[in-house]
Amino acid sequence: MKKLLEDFGAILDHIPLKCDNTSAINLSKNLDMHSRTKNIEIRHHFLKDHVSKGDCYIEFVDSEHQLADMFTKPLARDWFFFIRNELGVLDGSCIE
């Protein structure tokens, strides 16, 4: 992800990842492995490694401000337009 951003001219030392799951955030910050975490998929350990290296950091965002919902859930029309506006995406009437 960091290399891709550099290709676009955006250089970030620490990439912010926004998450609305406090358990996932706490797990990414805890460097110890516990018996309850042994069945977690490899992709989560990959993220944990990058957080420990300082490549990225995870910050909490409440569910009401989770802009990724637009791509993962069916939304009511008003909420869809609100998120679209927050992301800076133009609707078709703005394009000539």
Side-chain angles (χ1 to χ4, degrees):
M1 182 180 351
K2 194 172 187 177
K3 181 65 177 153
L4 180 65
L5 290 171
E6 287 175 6
D7 291 343
F8 289 114
I11 299 173
L12 297 172
D13 291 333
H14 310 290
I15 298 170
L17 301 173
K18 307 218 184 250
C19 181
D20 61 356
N21 185 328
T22 54
S23 296
I25 294 170
N26 292 335
L27 188 61
S28 71
K29 293 178 181 178
N30 185 0
L31 299 179
D32 296 331
M33 293 298 284
H34 298 285
S35 61
R36 288 185 268 164
T37 63
K38 67 181 180 181
N39 293 324
I40 295 176
E41 296 180 25
I42 293 173
R43 63 187 170 133
H44 296 106
H45 293 296
F46 175 80
L47 180 62
K48 186 176 179 178
D49 289 341
H50 280 284
V51 169
S52 66
K53 290 179 191 174
D55 294 337
C56 61
Y57 63 94
I58 301 177
E59 58 185 34
F60 179 77
V61 60
D62 60 359
S63 295
E64 290 183 15
H65 296 96
Q66 183 61 275
L67 300 180
D69 284 351
M70 180 180 199
F71 305 108
T72 60
K73 299 177 183 176
L75 301 173
R77 183 181 179 97
D78 294 338
W79 190 243
F80 175 83
F81 289 144
F82 171 76
I83 291 177
R84 183 183 69 182
N85 200 24
E86 289 293 309
L87 290 171
V89 177
L90 300 175
D91 62 0
S93 67
C94 297
I95 301 172
E96 292 183 17

